[in-house]
Amino acid sequence: AQKITQTQPGMFVQEKEAVTLDCTYDTSDPSYGLFWYKQPSSGEMIFLIYQGSYDQQNATEGRYSLNFQKARKSANLVISASQLGDSAMYFCAMREMVTGGGNKLTFGTGTQLKVEL
Amino acid sequence: DAMVIQNPRYQVTQFGKPVTLSCSQTLNHNVMYWYQQKSSQAPKLLFHYYDKDFNNEADTPDNFQSRRPNTSFCFLDIRSPGLGDAAMYLCATSLKGGLETQYFGPGTRLLVL
């Protein structure tokens, strides 16, 4: 079974600073995908960034980058130049294929990020 | 813009009174998912539809059912809501295949009185 671990229940960062949110994972599948989602207090789950297990380079999307260390089984999210609007819950998730088509996301417990002035 | 829409955003129901949550999508995705997210917890997959094929998670209670009358719409029916069913219910969609990203709707917060 797949498992995602996020060890930081809460994080604080000052505006314009960079912050790293930790994520470690465990799987026996050689092919897997890792995602980060942002969930503001309003509840919607917003897709941020994706890393495939065979991708040679770390994924980047604007101010978001994923520090993928396969040997350590970690997939940390780095947010550069934090903004007040980045305050939210952040979930790391792993994808596994399921019978019947589609896929299943297993989520970590999340990290609540608070950006301060 | 293509999107996943959930209605209503907030739903209040009484203990034991059936309730239906709605999800629609303009992405033309083959797969639609329903997740339950209880307060301060991670989302948990209840079931998903691959086209018209229904796939239930093993630990999803029988109290939860789903219907997908066409590609665009998917419904979550809770036959007899209990206090423990109060949660955020998230609908997501993806293209077919195991490698596709899931895109989520804004969710429906269900309160059971």
Side-chain angles (χ1 to χ4, degrees), chain A residues 58-74:
Chain A
N58 287 344
T60 60
E61 289 285 349
R63 294 186 299 110
Y64 304 108
S65 60
L66 202 152
N67 184 1
F68 182 49
Q69 298 190 38
K70 197 170 182 177
R72 294 185 177 184
K73 294 189 175 181
S74 73

Side-chain angles (χ1 to χ4, degrees), chain A residues 31 35 37 39-45 47 50 91 95-105 107-109, chain B residues 9 31 33 35 37 40-43 45 48 50 55 57 88 90 94 97-106 109:
Chain A
S31 176
F35 297 81
Y37 285 87
Q39 188 176 43
S41 57
S42 53
E44 71 268 34
M45 194 74 77
F47 166 68
Y50 164 77
F91 287 98
R95 174 188 60 209
E96 61 178 301
M97 298 186 195
V98 292
T99 56
N103 58 71
K104 174 180 178 179
L105 290 176
F107 288 86
T109 50
Chain B
R9 295 293 307 276
V31 193
Y33 309 80
Y35 287 84
Q37 185 182 22
S40 301
Q41 295 185 20
L45 182 65
H48 75 280
Y50 184 96
N55 298 275
E57 290 296 297
M88 171 74 88
L90 294 161
S94 74
L99 303 180
E100 301 296 333
T101 298
Q102 292 187 24
Y103 295 92
F104 285 79
R109 288 191 191 273

Side-chain angles (χ1 to χ4, degrees), chain B residues 17-58:
Chain B
K17 185 176 181 180
V19 64
T20 295
L21 308 182
S22 169
C23 177
S24 64
Q25 52 121 347
T26 60
L27 297 163
N28 205 29
H29 283 173
N30 308 84
V31 193
M32 295 186 77
Y33 309 80
W34 280 103
Y35 287 84
Q36 179 193 62
Q37 185 182 22
K38 295 188 176 180
S39 181
S40 301
Q41 295 185 20
K44 180 179 175 300
L45 182 65
L46 294 173
F47 27 59
H48 75 280
Y49 271 95
Y50 184 96
D51 291 325
K52 293 185 178 181
D53 294 331
F54 177 71
N55 298 275
N56 201 27
E57 290 296 297

